[in-house]
Structure formats: C-alpha cells, structure tokens
Amino acid sequence: MIITIDGPSSSGKSSVAKEISKIFDIVHVDSGAIYRAITFLAINFNCIENESNINYKLLTDIIQSKKITFEKNNSSYSIAIDGVVVESKIRNSRISKLVSVIAAEKSIRDYVLIIQHQIASRNSVVMDGRDIGSVVFPNAEYKFYIDASIKERSHRRWTELKEYESNITIENVEKDLMKRDFNDTNRSISPLKIPENAVIINSDDKSIKNVVDEIVVFIKSNS
Ligand code: C5P
C-alpha cells in the first residue's frame, strides 16, 4: 500500500503521516528529511559557496557514497546517514533556508527518486512531501493534500523553532516560509501542486488527530 501526503511547509503533513504509519503499521518516509539530509551534507562538505554557487557535481559524488535510510525507533522513523540518525541536525533555519534551492536541482531530485522508489519496492509506505502524489507515486492508492494558511503555518513553525533558537521571530519564520513556498511552487521540476485525484484537507482549524481521523475514515471506507 502507498499513501501519499503532500502540502506546503508546516501544513502538518509529517505529523499526520507519522500517526498514519503507526495506525497501519507501515513505513513513514518524510521526503523533506531526505532533501534536508542532503543539504546537511552539502554544508558539511563545503559544496555551497552561496545560494547561486553550489557545487552539484561534488555534492552528487558525496551523496552517492553515503547511505540515506529511515531507521525505526519506538514506532517512529528517523532519517540516518550511514546508519547515524541526523534528525536533530537537519531542522535548523540554516538548512531550512538552503534546502529548497538544493531541492530544485535535477541531479539531486533524480537521486532522491531512486531512494523513494527503493523504499516503496520493499515496504508499504506513507510518504509525505511536495511531489509524492504528482510525480513520485502518481498511481498511489491513496493521495492526500494538506494545506493551511500562512499565518497558521508560521505560528506552528515558530513554536517548534523557538525551542532551539530563542531569538527567532515569527516575522522571520513567515518570511522564510513564504520564500520556500515560492521556490517550491515555481520551480520547473516537480513543483508543489495538488496531485490529480488527491483528497484536499485544510488543517487551519483542525488538530493533528482530527486530520488523522479523517484520513483513516477515508482509507477504511475506500479499501
Ligand atoms: O517538508 P520539509 O519542509 O521538511 O521539506 C524541506 C524542503 O524539501 C521543501 O521546502 C522542499 O524544497 C523540499 N522538498 C521537495 N520535495 C519533496 C519534499 C521536500 O522538494 N517531496
């Protein structure tokens, strides 16, 4: 079984996907975490001069020499590079600022597509991202698109970030999210869009549990 959940940053899709993975006992792949892990490698291996000068040849060589996997721990899945979980290192604002630039590069997307298809060839999955129902698995059994207003999403993201970055302001978070939305929606390869036949859910006035319940009811009544 393949369940796809797409949507913009901080729409709640990863938290929802995590719960869906537990309910159906299937693998959760947070595809944004793959792009973040690649951005983490790009920073650590000095592939980035600035946003418009990134050494993709070097970066592609580096990621091909690494193994990016999702490790199960207490019923949730965390991203790992060569077996080392890097979850806590990929959510900071430096990576958030650069990730949508790196994710717009074709050689990087081609590589991520291989990882995504490999995982799903061995497991039932719920995968969240931007292009999962449109490009990665256009024939998935169940496709969802979760959205929320920019105000609500900025507030959610700021609440998460201020735990680690005490001087972050909600205005800066909103600016970064809008920039990322713009990059993700307007890039030429695999832009963020509502996939054909996806069920659209607006999560503005809904808790994660409300959205999860809606998805579970839909899947059970359509299986
Ligand atoms: O989901 P998250 O906000 O962690 O994703 C980080 C970035 O990774 C997005 O802003 C987007 O640029 C990229 N991404 C993508 N395609 C996906 C998932 C994420 O381009 N399927």
Side-chain angles (χ1 to χ4, degrees):
M1 170 165 73
I2 295 178
I3 303 170
T4 70
I5 305 183
D6 289 296
S9 308
S10 302
S11 54
K13 59 189 187 313
S14 279
S15 310
V16 168
K18 187 172 172 180
E19 294 309 310
I20 297 290
S21 133
K22 289 182 192 159
I23 292 168
F24 291 102
D25 193 18
I26 58 179
V27 176
H28 171 211
V29 178
D30 169 357
S31 66
I34 307 177
Y35 290 101
R36 284 174 180 274
I38 291 172
T39 307
F40 170 76
L41 288 171
I43 294 171
N44 282 7
F45 285 87
N46 295 321
C47 303
I48 307 176
E49 182 94 22
N50 55 53
E51 280 192 23
S52 39
N53 192 357
I54 297 174
N55 187 340
Y56 287 110
K57 167 77 184 77
L58 174 61
L59 181 56
T60 313
D61 288 346
I62 289 163
I63 59 180
Q64 276 169 355
S65 72
K66 304 276 173 195
K67 218 168 157 26
I68 296 179
T69 52
F70 285 85
E71 304 292 322
K72 190 173 185 185
N73 183 6
N74 291 333
S75 78
S76 26
Y77 290 83
S78 301
I79 190 145
I81 301 174
D82 287 341
V84 179
V85 171
V86 291
E87 199 65 45
S88 65
K89 301 194 166 113
I90 60 166
R91 309 271 165 205
N92 56 57
S93 15
R94 174 130 198 250
I95 290 188
S96 297
K97 278 200 178 84
L98 288 165
V99 60
S100 62
V101 177
I102 288 187
E105 173 68 21
K106 186 174 182 321
S107 57
I108 303 296
R109 297 204 79 82
D110 288 347
Y111 179 76
V112 173
L113 196 61
I114 295 171
I115 301 180
Q116 290 166 316
H117 284 168
Q118 268 172 356
I119 299 174
S121 69
R122 295 189 293 258
N123 309 277
S124 282
V125 296
V126 52
M127 194 176 296
D128 68 88
R130 305 291 188 290
D131 61 338
I132 312 303
S134 57
V135 172
V136 184
F137 298 114
N139 300 319
E141 288 96 323
Y142 303 103
K143 303 201 228 179
F144 300 90
Y145 185 90
I146 305 183
D147 209 348
S149 65
I150 183 73
K151 289 276 168 243
E152 178 63 31
R153 293 188 289 122
S154 306
H155 188 264
R156 287 177 191 166
R157 183 86 186 117
W158 173 74
T159 311
E160 269 168 32
L161 276 178
K162 73 179 169 44
E163 305 225 336
Y164 324 88
E165 299 176 32
S166 51
N167 43 16
I168 193 138
T169 64
I170 199 157
E171 289 77 20
N172 278 344
V173 171
E174 182 173 327
K175 228 166 64 198
D176 285 349
L177 276 188
M178 285 172 73
K179 185 168 177 224
R180 208 132 61 88
D181 284 356
F182 181 85
N183 286 349
D184 291 345
T185 318
N186 291 288
R187 68 179 174 223
S188 55
I189 320 165
S190 304
L192 168 66
K193 63 174 176 188
I194 301 173
E196 219 175 288
N197 303 324
V199 176
I200 302 167
I201 300 172
N202 184 301
S203 70
D204 264 349
D205 301 314
K206 291 178 185 156
S207 65
I208 297 296
K209 186 175 180 312
N210 290 152
V211 178
V212 169
D213 289 348
E214 205 172 317
I215 290 180
V216 171
V217 167
F218 181 89
I219 292 177
K220 289 194 170 155
S221 57
N222 286 278
S223 60

